[in-house]
Amino acid sequence: MERVLNYSVYDCSIIKLSKHHSDRKGNLSVVENNKTIPFGIKRLYYLYDVPGGESRGGHAHKDLYQLIVAASGSFTVTLDDGSVKRTFLLNRPYQGLMVVPGIWRTLDDFSSGAVCMVLASEGYTENDYIRNYDDFMKFKKNDSSNG
Ligand code: TYD
């Protein structure tokens, strides 16, 4: 996918997933490539056993699109585009937070037993990460001058 410049936190939003309910047999939610979400999934990973009080994330991605789902339990995701921050509480398995590229994210307040499932548009590559906040701000400034 071509790099889109100048994404903001307002390009990130909660997507409501389908919830198929069977009487007394529980629920089922579905995510489909390019239908539920505007990208194709190449990778799925999940965070679990995160000790209370720990923080995850603390980085941005240059090109990666992600859908973050609290498959179990709850946690917060704080998004930062360099000028605006938004915090989302994820606590429903039938909701996903779409995070576009160029957004600094921090995950906090994991409940006990929380599972953070991430559906990602690309395979894992360390080159796609921006792990230093000053570098992130420089990246956003270059975005602005190019966009
Ligand atoms: P990282 O993305 O830094 O975790 P978080 O931001 O959630 O705190 O990844 C933690 C470690 O796992 C790091 O050593 C890289 C490795 N990793 C992979 O090997 N493949 C992956 O798909 C991901 C997401 C991480």
Side-chain angles (χ1 to χ4, degrees):
M1 226 185 281
E2 219 172 278
R3 181 170 292 166
V4 178
L5 304 172
N6 283 327
Y7 271 135
S8 86
V9 289
Y10 297 108
D11 296 306
C12 303
S13 58
I14 298 276
I15 293 178
K16 194 163 190 285
L17 309 176
S18 59
K19 180 174 164 188
H20 301 273
H21 174 73
S22 304
D23 270 350
R24 292 185 298 280
K25 291 203 281 185
N27 300 318
L28 181 154
S29 294
V30 185
V31 179
E32 276 192 84
N33 280 351
N34 302 309
K35 201 166 156 189
T36 325
I37 47 175
F39 61 86
I41 300 161
K42 286 205 183 144
R43 175 170 52 122
L44 178 153
Y45 64 91
Y46 41 99
L47 301 170
Y48 52 95
D49 291 346
V50 179
E54 278 302 330
S55 185
R56 301 291 307 227
H59 63 251
H61 289 280
K62 296 173 194 163
D63 290 310
L64 193 70
Y65 291 76
Q66 293 174 308
L67 186 78
I68 304 179
V69 178
S72 183
S74 65
F75 50 86
T76 60
V77 185
T78 300
L79 303 179
D80 174 1
D81 60 20
S83 28
V84 177
K85 285 186 190 180
R86 289 176 83 189
T87 297
F88 297 85
L89 171 67
L90 295 186
N91 60 357
R92 300 275 185 263
Y94 53 85
Q95 289 177 345
L97 175 63
M98 236 276 290
V99 182
V100 296
I103 305 289
W104 189 269
R105 90 286 315 279
T106 316
L107 284 69
D108 294 285
D109 304 320
F110 284 84
S111 69
S112 122
V115 178
C116 169
M117 180 174 75
V118 183
L119 312 178
S121 66
E122 303 295 337
Y124 172 73
T125 164
E126 190 56 36
N127 288 338
D128 188 61
Y129 279 76
I130 307 170
R131 292 193 182 272
N132 175 283
Y133 194 80
D134 290 342
D135 293 343
F136 168 65
M137 290 306 286
K138 278 182 208 145
F139 178 85
K140 293 308 274 185
K141 285 211 178 79
N142 289 337
D143 261 12
S144 311
S145 56
N146 292 334

